[in-house]
Amino acid sequence: GNPEYKNIGVNYDNNFLKKRLNLNSSYNFNNNSNSNERQSYNKQILPEDKNRPNIKSQETKNNSTSESESKNHSFRSQVKFRIDSTQNLDVQLNAGKSNGRNANTSERYTTNNDTIKTNDFKEKNSSTSNGDNADFRLNYRKRLNRDGRSFNIQVNGDISQSTSNTLVNSTTNYYKNNKDSVVHITQDRT
């Protein structure tokens, strides 16, 4: 395989108004990817069979590839404001965006006695996905004059959406007595 990982982030934190207001924000981006190739060969020596007297061995060759990649953005911001000695306001916003893709191919060939093709198979798969999300939180707190008592108001909200699409295309050919038989499948899923 060939995995790769990239990540970058920034953070900002500062106090204002004689430390009564604090702002903390961050942004992060990461990109992950991977690619693989695989080949295999299998030869099977078959026992004698009077129904198939000329078939002594069966060989299968497989080739496959896969690639994947994902990208993610995330943002976070928080503001804390001390209005006075009895009141605090806390506001937080988070957001994110993600994208992904995958692609796979596969080929398989089967022969008898190294030369007589019995079947072959080819398939391609691909998929994509996208997602967005955001959430908001506001918290207001007022300490009351009585010991240990306070008044709180909290407001939350979030929104998210995602989409994905998958495409599958495969073909299988069967061979018997020099005649072809084909099975072809195409699927599209959203």
Side-chain angles (χ1 to χ4, degrees):
N2 185 21
E4 289 186 23
Y5 180 76
K6 298 170 188 160
N7 188 22
I8 187 168
V10 293
N11 188 55
Y12 178 79
D13 190 8
N14 205 349
N15 291 308
F16 304 94
L17 303 173
K18 298 180 182 178
K19 296 187 178 183
R20 289 179 47 218
L21 178 68
N22 174 264
L23 172 63
N24 183 306
S25 294
S26 63
Y27 168 78
N28 191 46
F29 170 75
N30 65 52
N31 183 357
N32 300 317
S33 63
N34 195 10
S35 62
N36 288 298
E37 291 183 11
R38 182 177 178 203
Q39 295 179 341
S40 65
Y41 172 80
N42 183 26
K43 184 169 186 175
Q44 184 178 11
I45 306 300
L46 301 174
E48 288 189 29
D49 185 344
K50 59 184 170 183
N51 295 324
R52 300 182 302 166
N54 296 327
I55 299 176
K56 307 290 183 199
S57 65
Q58 187 174 65
E59 302 79 26
T60 304
K61 296 177 186 176
N62 287 300
N63 296 315
S64 63
T65 62
S66 65
E67 293 181 1
S68 63
E69 181 177 40
S70 66
K71 295 179 180 179
N72 298 294
H73 300 267
S74 62
F75 172 77
R76 180 186 170 279
S77 185
Q78 184 173 26
V79 176
K80 294 181 180 181
F81 182 49
R82 187 171 42 92
I83 301 167
D84 60 31
S85 63
T86 63
Q87 298 179 81
N88 294 309
L89 181 66
D90 185 2
V91 179
Q92 186 171 340
L93 174 67
N94 300 303
K97 181 168 185 63
S98 63
N99 298 305
R101 67 171 185 83
N102 293 297
N104 301 299
T105 62
S106 180
E107 295 181 353
R108 181 179 62 240
Y109 305 95
T110 304
T111 58
N112 289 333
N113 299 334
D114 292 321
T115 57
I116 305 167
K117 189 183 278 191
T118 60
N119 67 60
D120 58 50
F121 169 82
K122 293 182 182 181
E123 181 174 78
K124 291 183 181 181
N125 297 323
S126 63
S127 65
T128 58
S129 62
N130 298 297
D132 301 305
N133 65 71
D135 66 78
F136 171 80
R137 187 186 82 199
L138 180 136
N139 189 26
Y140 169 78
R141 181 174 182 244
K142 166 83 174 155
R143 280 194 319 230
L144 302 176
N145 289 335
R146 297 178 185 159
D147 291 335
R149 294 189 183 186
S150 64
F151 173 76
N152 289 335
I153 296 176
Q154 187 173 47
V155 178
N156 296 315
D158 63 61
I159 186 170
S160 64
Q161 68 176 12
S162 64
T163 59
S164 64
N165 188 34
T166 302
L167 179 63
V168 178
N169 187 351
S170 65
T171 302
T172 304
N173 297 304
Y174 297 98
Y175 305 96
K176 184 174 182 179
N177 299 329
N178 296 324
K179 294 181 181 177
D180 294 354
S181 174
V182 177
V183 176
H184 183 81
I185 299 171
T186 299
Q187 296 178 359
D188 188 2
R189 296 181 214 138
T190 302

PDB file of all heavy atoms in Angstrom, residues 4-8 29-33 68-72 99:
ATOM      1  N   GLU A   4      -0.872   7.919   2.770  1.00  0.00           N
ATOM      2  CA  GLU A   4      -0.390   9.282   2.985  1.00  0.00           C
ATOM      3  C   GLU A   4      -1.330   9.970   3.960  1.00  0.00           C
ATOM      4  O   GLU A   4      -2.541   9.785   3.908  1.00  0.00           O
ATOM      5  CB  GLU A   4      -0.362  10.074   1.676  1.00  0.00           C
ATOM      6  CG  GLU A   4       0.712   9.629   0.709  1.00  0.00           C
ATOM      7  CD  GLU A   4       0.792  10.542  -0.512  1.00  0.00           C
ATOM      8  OE1 GLU A   4       0.362  11.706  -0.416  1.00  0.00           O
ATOM      9  OE2 GLU A   4       1.275  10.078  -1.541  1.00  0.00           O
ATOM     10  N   TYR A   5      -0.747  10.787   4.835  1.00  0.00           N
ATOM     11  CA  TYR A   5      -1.536  11.532   5.802  1.00  0.00           C
ATOM     12  C   TYR A   5      -0.971  12.942   5.891  1.00  0.00           C
ATOM     13  O   TYR A   5       0.230  13.113   6.103  1.00  0.00           O
ATOM     14  CB  TYR A   5      -1.482  10.853   7.178  1.00  0.00           C
ATOM     15  CG  TYR A   5      -2.274  11.578   8.234  1.00  0.00           C
ATOM     16  CD1 TYR A   5      -3.661  11.494   8.250  1.00  0.00           C
ATOM     17  CD2 TYR A   5      -1.652  12.357   9.194  1.00  0.00           C
ATOM     18  CE1 TYR A   5      -4.403  12.154   9.204  1.00  0.00           C
ATOM     19  CE2 TYR A   5      -2.380  13.023  10.152  1.00  0.00           C
ATOM     20  CZ  TYR A   5      -3.766  12.912  10.153  1.00  0.00           C
ATOM     21  OH  TYR A   5      -4.495  13.585  11.095  1.00  0.00           O
ATOM     22  N   LYS A   6      -1.826  13.934   5.691  1.00  0.00           N
ATOM     23  CA  LYS A   6      -1.418  15.337   5.787  1.00  0.00           C
ATOM     24  C   LYS A   6      -2.368  16.039   6.737  1.00  0.00           C
ATOM     25  O   LYS A   6      -3.585  15.838   6.673  1.00  0.00           O
ATOM     26  CB  LYS A   6      -1.468  16.010   4.413  1.00  0.00           C
ATOM     27  CG  LYS A   6      -0.531  15.378   3.409  1.00  0.00           C
ATOM     28  CD  LYS A   6      -0.775  15.905   2.023  1.00  0.00           C
ATOM     29  CE  LYS A   6       0.046  15.088   1.041  1.00  0.00           C
ATOM     30  NZ  LYS A   6      -0.460  15.207  -0.303  1.00  0.00           N
ATOM     31  N   ASN A   7      -1.828  16.867   7.605  1.00  0.00           N
ATOM     32  CA  ASN A   7      -2.633  17.563   8.590  1.00  0.00           C
ATOM     33  C   ASN A   7      -2.043  18.948   8.829  1.00  0.00           C
ATOM     34  O   ASN A   7      -0.823  19.092   8.937  1.00  0.00           O
ATOM     35  CB  ASN A   7      -2.653  16.764   9.898  1.00  0.00           C
ATOM     36  CG  ASN A   7      -3.635  17.328  10.897  1.00  0.00           C
ATOM     37  OD1 ASN A   7      -4.567  18.025  10.538  1.00  0.00           O
ATOM     38  ND2 ASN A   7      -3.429  17.014  12.166  1.00  0.00           N
ATOM     39  N   ILE A   8      -2.905  19.946   8.887  1.00  0.00           N
ATOM     40  CA  ILE A   8      -2.463  21.300   9.219  1.00  0.00           C
ATOM     41  C   ILE A   8      -3.517  21.928  10.114  1.00  0.00           C
ATOM     42  O   ILE A   8      -4.715  21.683   9.948  1.00  0.00           O
ATOM     43  CB  ILE A   8      -2.220  22.153   7.948  1.00  0.00           C
ATOM     44  CG1 ILE A   8      -1.607  23.491   8.330  1.00  0.00           C
ATOM     45  CG2 ILE A   8      -3.488  22.328   7.151  1.00  0.00           C
ATOM     46  CD1 ILE A   8      -1.081  24.278   7.149  1.00  0.00           C
ATOM     47  N   PHE A  29      -7.273  20.996   9.038  1.00  0.00           N
ATOM     48  CA  PHE A  29      -7.506  20.322   7.758  1.00  0.00           C
ATOM     49  C   PHE A  29      -6.681  19.050   7.753  1.00  0.00           C
ATOM     50  O   PHE A  29      -5.506  19.069   8.141  1.00  0.00           O
ATOM     51  CB  PHE A  29      -7.081  21.207   6.576  1.00  0.00           C
ATOM     52  CG  PHE A  29      -7.074  20.480   5.262  1.00  0.00           C
ATOM     53  CD1 PHE A  29      -8.257  20.182   4.612  1.00  0.00           C
ATOM     54  CD2 PHE A  29      -5.884  20.059   4.693  1.00  0.00           C
ATOM     55  CE1 PHE A  29      -8.252  19.502   3.402  1.00  0.00           C
ATOM     56  CE2 PHE A  29      -5.862  19.380   3.481  1.00  0.00           C
ATOM     57  CZ  PHE A  29      -7.061  19.105   2.839  1.00  0.00           C
ATOM     58  N   ASN A  30      -7.293  17.938   7.339  1.00  0.00           N
ATOM     59  CA  ASN A  30      -6.505  16.725   7.139  1.00  0.00           C
ATOM     60  C   ASN A  30      -6.932  16.049   5.844  1.00  0.00           C
ATOM     61  O   ASN A  30      -8.061  16.175   5.394  1.00  0.00           O
ATOM     62  CB  ASN A  30      -6.561  15.776   8.345  1.00  0.00           C
ATOM     63  CG  ASN A  30      -7.927  15.209   8.600  1.00  0.00           C
ATOM     64  OD1 ASN A  30      -8.561  14.667   7.714  1.00  0.00           O
ATOM     65  ND2 ASN A  30      -8.401  15.331   9.826  1.00  0.00           N
ATOM     66  N   ASN A  31      -5.964  15.380   5.253  1.00  0.00           N
ATOM     67  CA  ASN A  31      -6.146  14.687   3.983  1.00  0.00           C
ATOM     68  C   ASN A  31      -5.484  13.323   4.127  1.00  0.00           C
ATOM     69  O   ASN A  31      -4.279  13.236   4.324  1.00  0.00           O
ATOM     70  CB  ASN A  31      -5.498  15.506   2.855  1.00  0.00           C
ATOM     71  CG  ASN A  31      -5.703  14.888   1.494  1.00  0.00           C
ATOM     72  OD1 ASN A  31      -6.282  13.821   1.356  1.00  0.00           O
ATOM     73  ND2 ASN A  31      -5.206  15.562   0.474  1.00  0.00           N
ATOM     74  N   ASN A  32      -6.290  12.277   4.042  1.00  0.00           N
ATOM     75  CA  ASN A  32      -5.798  10.900   4.131  1.00  0.00           C
ATOM     76  C   ASN A  32      -6.022  10.220   2.787  1.00  0.00           C
ATOM     77  O   ASN A  32      -7.088  10.352   2.201  1.00  0.00           O
ATOM     78  CB  ASN A  32      -6.551  10.107   5.196  1.00  0.00           C
ATOM     79  CG  ASN A  32      -6.409  10.718   6.563  1.00  0.00           C
ATOM     80  OD1 ASN A  32      -5.337  11.120   6.938  1.00  0.00           O
ATOM     81  ND2 ASN A  32      -7.506  10.802   7.292  1.00  0.00           N
ATOM     82  N   SER A  33      -5.021   9.494   2.326  1.00  0.00           N
ATOM     83  CA  SER A  33      -5.195   8.743   1.089  1.00  0.00           C
ATOM     84  C   SER A  33      -4.418   7.435   1.173  1.00  0.00           C
ATOM     85  O   SER A  33      -3.484   7.297   1.961  1.00  0.00           O
ATOM     86  CB  SER A  33      -4.735   9.563  -0.123  1.00  0.00           C
ATOM     87  OG  SER A  33      -3.357   9.838  -0.042  1.00  0.00           O
ATOM     88  N   SER A  68      -8.227   5.379  -2.233  1.00  0.00           N
ATOM     89  CA  SER A  68      -9.179   6.084  -1.385  1.00  0.00           C
ATOM     90  C   SER A  68      -8.565   7.411  -0.944  1.00  0.00           C
ATOM     91  O   SER A  68      -7.336   7.539  -0.832  1.00  0.00           O
ATOM     92  CB  SER A  68      -9.554   5.248  -0.156  1.00  0.00           C
ATOM     93  OG  SER A  68      -8.416   5.035   0.653  1.00  0.00           O
ATOM     94  N   GLU A  69      -9.439   8.376  -0.721  1.00  0.00           N
ATOM     95  CA  GLU A  69      -8.979   9.687  -0.255  1.00  0.00           C
ATOM     96  C   GLU A  69     -10.104  10.337   0.536  1.00  0.00           C
ATOM     97  O   GLU A  69     -11.274  10.238   0.171  1.00  0.00           O
ATOM     98  CB  GLU A  69      -8.601  10.578  -1.430  1.00  0.00           C
ATOM     99  CG  GLU A  69      -8.099  11.946  -0.996  1.00  0.00           C
ATOM    100  CD  GLU A  69      -7.657  12.823  -2.154  1.00  0.00           C
ATOM    101  OE1 GLU A  69      -8.328  12.806  -3.203  1.00  0.00           O
ATOM    102  OE2 GLU A  69      -6.654  13.520  -1.995  1.00  0.00           O
ATOM    103  N   SER A  70      -9.749  10.983   1.626  1.00  0.00           N
ATOM    104  CA  SER A  70     -10.722  11.750   2.407  1.00  0.00           C
ATOM    105  C   SER A  70     -10.098  13.082   2.798  1.00  0.00           C
ATOM    106  O   SER A  70      -8.904  13.155   3.102  1.00  0.00           O
ATOM    107  CB  SER A  70     -11.168  10.980   3.653  1.00  0.00           C
ATOM    108  OG  SER A  70     -10.096  10.832   4.551  1.00  0.00           O
ATOM    109  N   LYS A  71     -10.925  14.121   2.739  1.00  0.00           N
ATOM    110  CA  LYS A  71     -10.502  15.470   3.132  1.00  0.00           C
ATOM    111  C   LYS A  71     -11.506  15.990   4.143  1.00  0.00           C
ATOM    112  O   LYS A  71     -12.718  15.890   3.935  1.00  0.00           O
ATOM    113  CB  LYS A  71     -10.466  16.395   1.918  1.00  0.00           C
ATOM    114  CG  LYS A  71      -9.422  16.002   0.896  1.00  0.00           C
ATOM    115  CD  LYS A  71      -9.446  16.942  -0.288  1.00  0.00           C
ATOM    116  CE  LYS A  71      -8.392  16.522  -1.300  1.00  0.00           C
ATOM    117  NZ  LYS A  71      -8.389  17.394  -2.476  1.00  0.00           N
ATOM    118  N   ASN A  72     -10.983  16.548   5.233  1.00  0.00           N
ATOM    119  CA  ASN A  72     -11.845  17.054   6.299  1.00  0.00           C
ATOM    120  C   ASN A  72     -11.383  18.438   6.734  1.00  0.00           C
ATOM    121  O   ASN A  72     -10.194  18.653   6.975  1.00  0.00           O
ATOM    122  CB  ASN A  72     -11.799  16.112   7.509  1.00  0.00           C
ATOM    123  CG  ASN A  72     -12.297  14.737   7.175  1.00  0.00           C
ATOM    124  OD1 ASN A  72     -13.462  14.554   6.881  1.00  0.00           O
ATOM    125  ND2 ASN A  72     -11.407  13.757   7.195  1.00  0.00           N
ATOM    126  N   ASN A  99     -15.172  15.358   2.524  1.00  0.00           N
ATOM    127  CA  ASN A  99     -15.326  14.781   1.186  1.00  0.00           C
ATOM    128  C   ASN A  99     -14.534  13.479   1.146  1.00  0.00           C
ATOM    129  O   ASN A  99     -13.433  13.416   1.691  1.00  0.00           O
ATOM    130  CB  ASN A  99     -14.768  15.713   0.100  1.00  0.00           C
ATOM    131  CG  ASN A  99     -15.496  17.027   0.045  1.00  0.00           C
ATOM    132  OD1 ASN A  99     -16.698  17.052  -0.098  1.00  0.00           O
ATOM    133  ND2 ASN A  99     -14.762  18.123   0.179  1.00  0.00           N
TER     134      ASN A  99
END
